[in-house]
């Protein structure tokens, strides 16, 4: 098991509806040491690639993107969600269906922050159906930039996003890939590994 899989076993909670809660270190409270390790791992996996911008989506991708931007010494941009797209004159806009909130979001980046010169590494906390990643890719392409790769902390391998992005030819690097999880037994299976019981139980916040 790698450091992130280990952390999920220690602090993750499986919720009903195929949701892994990692508020303890990623989605609410932030364990900066774990985020730093995630950033180092992305830098290692994308070595040899030219990157001049990091792009993520608010909110939980921002911490990972910031530490990675520090390693590359490049600007970090986060796409914003939810504003109605009454005008696209000053921004690039795409749409993404939110798996966790069950609603369609507009995702946008103001035009000055992405250009045709940008070689963009996209990062996010979770990959499920790939909606957020697809919206970010769309926005980079609207700007005429290039997507160098996609770095994901936790990929839910039982959903289609990872397969679709790999089939589309993107270098997708996910540090922990969940094959399945079971709410009743609080058991998780990471890709290529035997089932593991989470240390904490579902009653935990
Ligand atoms: P996608 O856009 O790939 O369908 O879903 C990814 C987004 O949904 C992530 O940015 C994340 O916010 C959210 N998400 C999807 N599944 C989970 C989950 O099991 N746990 C958490 N915490 N977030 C999830």
């Amino acid at each position: 098991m790698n450091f992130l899989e280990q952390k999920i076993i220690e602090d993750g909670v499986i919720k009903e509806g195929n949701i892994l809660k990692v508020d303890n270190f990623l989605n609410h409270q932030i364990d900066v040491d774990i985020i730093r390790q995630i950033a180092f791992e992305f830098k290692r996996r994308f070595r040899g690639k030219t990157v001049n911008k990091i792009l993520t989506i608010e909110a939980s991708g921002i911490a990972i993107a910031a530490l990675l931007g520090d390693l590359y010494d490049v600007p970090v941009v986060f796409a914003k969600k939810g504003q109605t797209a009454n005008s696209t004159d000053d921004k690039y806009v795409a749409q993404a269906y939110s798996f966790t909130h069950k609603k369609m979001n507009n995702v946008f980046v103001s035009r000055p922050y992405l250009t045709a010169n940008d070689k963009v590494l996209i990062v996010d906390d979770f990959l499920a159906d790939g909606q957020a990643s697809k919206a970010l890719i769309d926005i980079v392409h609207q700007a005429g930039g290039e997507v160098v790769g996609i770095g994901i902390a936790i990929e839910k391998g039982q959903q289609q996003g990872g397969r679709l992005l790999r089939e589309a030819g993107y270098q997708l690097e996910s540090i922990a890939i969940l094959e399945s999880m079971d709410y009743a037994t609080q058991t998780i299976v990471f890709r290529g590994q035997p089932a593991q019981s989470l240390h904490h139980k579902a009653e935990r916040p």
Side-chain angles (χ1 to χ4, degrees):
M1 261 195 295
N2 68 32
F3 69 94
L4 186 56
E5 293 164 341
Q6 191 67 50
K7 186 73 175 169
I8 293 167
I9 297 296
E10 283 164 16
D11 288 350
V13 178
I14 298 166
K15 294 288 184 183
E16 269 177 308
N18 193 34
I19 295 284
L20 176 67
K21 223 170 165 192
V22 288
D23 281 10
N24 188 46
F25 64 94
L26 188 56
N27 290 146
H28 197 354
Q29 172 169 261
I30 290 175
D31 184 327
V32 178
D33 187 49
I34 289 288
I35 305 295
R36 188 181 292 117
Q37 290 182 64
I38 292 171
F40 269 107
E41 183 61 16
F42 286 152
K43 184 89 193 296
R44 191 182 70 77
R45 293 192 189 195
F46 290 103
R47 67 184 172 273
K49 297 262 179 170
T50 302
V51 173
N52 67 4
K53 199 157 281 181
I54 308 293
L55 177 65
T56 188
I57 183 165
E58 66 179 358
S60 296
I62 296 175
I64 298 170
L67 293 199
L68 189 59
D70 186 43
L71 288 181
Y72 278 101
D73 196 18
V74 299
V76 172
V77 176
F78 62 94
K80 298 191 176 195
K81 286 180 200 163
Q83 183 176 308
T84 49
N86 44 11
S87 159
T88 57
D89 291 351
D90 57 345
K91 47 183 150 356
Y92 306 109
V93 183
Q95 292 211 311
Y97 182 77
S98 168
F99 177 84
T100 36
H101 298 110
K102 309 274 180 260
K103 63 167 189 173
M104 192 62 92
N105 278 318
N106 279 318
V107 175
F108 65 94
V109 172
S110 292
R111 287 181 184 256
Y113 304 130
L114 279 176
T115 73
N117 296 324
D118 284 333
K119 297 188 183 311
V120 181
L121 182 51
I122 292 173
V123 296
D124 206 359
D125 58 341
F126 272 87
L127 172 66
D129 284 329
Q131 290 279 317
S133 297
K134 264 173 29 201
L136 295 177
I137 291 168
D138 185 358
I139 283 173
V140 173
H141 289 162
Q142 287 178 41
E146 182 191 339
V147 176
V148 166
I150 303 162
I152 297 291
I154 305 171
E155 175 181 336
K156 292 163 81 184
Q158 68 277 53
Q159 289 180 246
Q160 62 177 351
R163 182 177 54 76
L164 294 178
L165 292 171
R166 290 186 181 97
E167 280 175 5
Y170 292 103
Q171 182 182 350
L172 169 64
E173 297 290 345
S174 303
I175 299 177
I177 304 182
L178 313 182
E179 274 317 351
S180 62
M181 48 188 174
D182 185 59
Y183 169 68
T185 58
Q186 290 290 300
T187 307
I188 206 162
V189 179
F190 294 112
R191 185 160 292 177
Q193 298 180 30
Q196 311 271 348
S197 290
L198 299 189
H199 292 173
H200 294 285
K201 296 294 171 206
E203 312 74 74
R204 228 168 134 261

